[in-house]
Amino acid sequence: IRTVSVTGSGIGVLGDTKTLNLDKVTVKIRNKTETQYQTNDLTRSAVITTYTANNATRLPGSIVYSLSQIINDPAAVDAHYYAGVVYDYYKTKFGRNGIDNGNMTIKSTVHYSRNYVNAFWNGSQMVYGDGDGVNSLALSGGLDIIAHEMTHGVDEYEADLIYKDQSGALNESFSDCFGTFIEYFAQKNKFDWEMGEDVWTPKIANDALRSLQDPTKYGDPAHMNDYNYTTSDNGGVHTNCGIPNKACYLIATSSGMTIEKTEQIYYRALVNYLTQSSDFKAAKEALIQSAVDLYGVNSVEANAVKAAFEAVGIY
Ligand SMILES: O=C(NO)[C@]12CC[C@H](CC1)C2
Ligand SMILES: [Ca+2]
Ligand SMILES: [Ca+2]
Ligand SMILES: [Zn+2]
């Protein structure tokens, strides 16, 4: 049973053709052999493997493969390709070896459940629904979403922010921020400060699930005065993230700031300063300290962080 890494391709969720790293495996089925081209990327230091749940909910499901070098599954094509982009981002920008910084296998499952308009990190792997064709297309079709989910994995091995109330909203916000930073890294011409726009509501143009530039555009708070005290959604983690998301946008767009500087500040805070119970004020302090470490006391960068968090009501 031989395996060798080969180059294949497939059409993604948005109809674009992507080059894929596949594993050519000769398997024995009863008394005959079959050559399978599996979505198993062995070209990086971390193996990237893509599975299908076949619209059931058992994980990880079965590995996606084809009898030719063409993968005929758009959701799997994008999940497989974009996972590699996110790996490359963390390696290139921060020298990080993948999700756990130890090159653990990066597993994604597509076609989870039926008409499932969602995606999640389950503590071990990424999982994507197909959407319902109205609220969304298959969710792995959005690089910012895949980056969002894989960053949940990175967080788990670093700050491991408790998924509730302010620490949970920070957990969501860091995934939205890195989703945006990674979109800028890989798709500068398609960069924006919104989340999920590539797959959200195919019949409606220029909308998204969330906005970092203006969270209120989709009903999320952009200031502490509008913090959503609720018990639903683990204390509103997917709405209250608007407050730190707005701060991230303000930092990156402040005079003298760039996305490149902002992502270095965010990564250092996530790895060196944030803890499980960090709240919004602790995040402000962690990010200021990270900016001081990188750019100096009272630097333009550190002051931009301070001003941005104060602008959203965090003193
Ligand atoms: O925030 C999320 N998960 O925690 C999202 C919302 C839109 C994308 C799919 C799921 C990311
Ligand atoms: Ca986006
Ligand atoms: Ca839309
Ligand atoms: Zn999330």
Side-chain angles (χ1 to χ4, degrees), residues 90-165:
Y90 278 106
K91 186 71 179 165
T92 306
K93 290 285 185 176
F94 316 113
R96 184 184 185 87
N97 294 311
I99 291 167
D100 64 339
N101 202 15
N103 285 322
M104 69 184 269
T105 299
I106 298 166
K107 295 181 182 176
S108 306
T109 296
V110 295
H111 306 306
Y112 178 82
S113 187
R114 303 182 64 76
N115 293 319
Y116 191 66
V117 183
N118 212 333
F120 59 94
W121 167 262
N122 78 341
S124 309
Q125 64 162 102
M126 293 171 272
V127 185
Y128 301 96
D130 289 330
D132 58 7
V134 174
N135 291 292
S136 83
L137 300 173
L139 284 106
S140 59
L143 170 58
D144 54 6
I145 290 175
I146 292 190
H148 175 109
E149 299 311 336
M150 202 153 135
T151 298
H152 276 312
V154 172
D155 169 70
E156 184 179 308
Y157 286 93
E158 297 300 341
D160 194 17
L161 287 153
I162 296 162
Y163 205 62
K164 186 172 176 296
D165 301 331

Side-chain angles (χ1 to χ4, degrees), residues 28-142:
K28 242 170 137 54
I29 298 183
R30 285 181 292 286
N31 62 349
K32 70 178 180 55
T33 64
E34 179 177 271
T35 297
Q36 295 181 354
Y37 295 85
Q38 299 179 347
T39 49
N40 206 20
D41 179 350
L42 309 173
T43 62
R44 295 175 167 89
S45 305
V47 170
I48 297 174
T49 310
T50 302
Y51 301 84
T52 174
N54 287 310
N55 295 116
T57 54
R58 276 193 16 257
L59 294 174
S62 46
I63 200 163
V64 172
Y65 73 90
S66 168
L67 299 183
S68 78
Q69 274 158 279
I70 310 290
I71 299 295
N72 184 22
D73 181 339
V77 165
D78 283 344
H80 197 58
Y81 181 87
Y82 287 141
V85 171
V86 179
Y87 180 87
D88 293 347
Y89 170 81
Y90 278 106
K91 186 71 179 165
T92 306
K93 290 285 185 176
F94 316 113
R96 184 184 185 87
N97 294 311
I99 291 167
D100 64 339
N101 202 15
N103 285 322
M104 69 184 269
T105 299
I106 298 166
K107 295 181 182 176
S108 306
T109 296
V110 295
H111 306 306
Y112 178 82
S113 187
R114 303 182 64 76
N115 293 319
Y116 191 66
V117 183
N118 212 333
F120 59 94
W121 167 262
N122 78 341
S124 309
Q125 64 162 102
M126 293 171 272
V127 185
Y128 301 96
D130 289 330
D132 58 7
V134 174
N135 291 292
S136 83
L137 300 173
L139 284 106
S140 59

